[in-house]
Amino acid sequence: MGCRKRAPVTDLLRVVVRSGALVPDPRRTLPGRGASLHPTPECLRAAERRRAFVRALRSSTPVEAGPLRVHVLGTPSAAAPGAEAGSGDNERTTDRSNTDGSASGRSAVEGRTSSDEQAVKSPR
C-alpha cells in the first residue's frame, strides 16, 4: 500500500480500523476491511504521505495511525500524516531509571546544535 510493490501476503502486515485508529493485525484475524503494507518505516511513511489508508480502508473520516506506528517503528511518533519523512524521529528522549531511582540517559539529540541537526536530516 505504501510503496505499491507486490509481495507475498506472508511478508505484509494487515491493518484494520478500530475506533478511528489504525490497528495492526499480524494474525490476519480481525474482522472488517483490511489493507496490507510492508512492516517498514519507509512503507508506512509513504502510505501516510499519500493518504492511502483512508482510501484503501474506505474510511469516511481521518484515521489515527498511533497504534500502527508503535508496531512498525517501535515507538509512538509525534509526526502527523503528511509531515516530512524523518521529522520527529530525532526528537525522542529517553528516561531510564537507575537502581537507585535517579533518572539517567540523555537523548542523543540534546547536545546537538541546529547546524548538526541540519546535517542529520536527509535532503528531499
Side-chain angles (χ1 to χ4, degrees), residues 2 4 12-13 21 35 44-45 60 63 65 81-82 84 86 101-102 107 113 115 123:
R4 296 180 169 173
L12 300 174
L13 175 65
L44 174 61
R45 288 186 187 115
S60 59
V63 291
E84 180 180 326
S102 64
S107 169
T113 63
S115 62

Side-chain angles (χ1 to χ4, degrees), residues 50-69:
R50 294 183 319 113
R51 295 177 186 91
F53 292 113
V54 174
R55 283 193 314 270
L57 298 169
R58 297 182 182 172
S59 176
S60 59
T61 60
V63 291
E64 171 58 40
L68 179 60
R69 280 193 201 112

